[in-house]
Amino acid sequence: MRRLILILGLSLTVAAACRAPVREYACRTDPQTASVDVHAVWSCNRDVLRRIARGKEFTLREFRMASEFFEELTGLRVDWDGTYVGMVPGREIRQDLEDLDAWYELNKDKLTWDAGLGRIVYEGLAPVRGGS
């Protein structure tokens, strides 16, 4: 009986903690848009990683989307650990942010919006048609 009460109490605590509102991923771009401010999108995704590196509040969706944005655009891997709830930031997130900042300083003038692909591309890399 004690075990049942303990499990019920733990379940209620977990349920209450998981009621955080679902925050929209603010850095999303519409693939149908003719023009996008690529530097604003970069900054938005960078702010997500910076918030995470500082131990501030974030959602797993924000982390996944920002990580995918940087990995697809730059080829640099963002450190994450797989868990039963999904991918979570790894211990090297601060170093990843520094690496991305250095990459951006060297390559920011080569970032463009490709309306045909509906995404931001780096001039130095050939984008994959139909890929995301």
Side-chain angles (χ1 to χ4, degrees):
M1 186 65 166
R2 288 173 110 181
R3 186 173 287 180
L4 179 62
I5 293 172
L6 180 62
I7 291 172
L8 182 60
L10 182 59
S11 298
L12 291 174
T13 302
V14 169
C18 293
R19 279 200 231 178
V22 176
R23 185 184 334 192
E24 272 300 309
Y25 173 62
C27 309
R28 185 177 312 267
T29 55
D30 180 3
Q32 304 301 318
T33 304
S35 179
V36 167
D37 181 348
V38 297
H39 303 291
V41 175
W42 177 281
S43 293
C44 182
N45 282 288
R46 184 192 181 282
D47 289 346
V48 170
L49 292 188
R50 187 177 66 204
R51 192 169 4 114
I52 293 167
R54 291 180 172 176
K56 304 292 182 182
E57 193 173 294
F58 68 97
T59 66
L60 293 179
R61 176 185 296 141
E62 286 178 304
F63 174 64
R64 181 179 53 81
M65 299 294 284
S67 297
E68 289 173 358
F69 169 79
F70 288 119
E71 289 179 2
E72 290 172 3
L73 182 60
T74 68
L76 298 175
R77 185 179 180 279
V78 175
D79 187 35
W80 59 273
D81 294 324
T83 68
Y84 68 94
V85 295
M87 57 187 275
V88 297
R91 292 184 202 131
E92 300 299 321
I93 196 78
R94 288 176 194 249
Q95 181 62 53
D96 294 340
L97 192 54
E98 289 177 21
D99 293 345
L100 288 165
D101 286 344
W103 187 96
Y104 183 72
E105 282 305 311
L106 291 172
N107 300 294
K108 63 184 170 189
D109 296 331
K110 296 178 182 173
L111 298 178
T112 60
W113 175 253
D114 185 320
L117 291 174
R119 59 184 238 180
I120 297 170
V121 296
Y122 170 63
E123 273 179 19
L125 299 175
V128 177
R129 295 276 173 198
S132 56

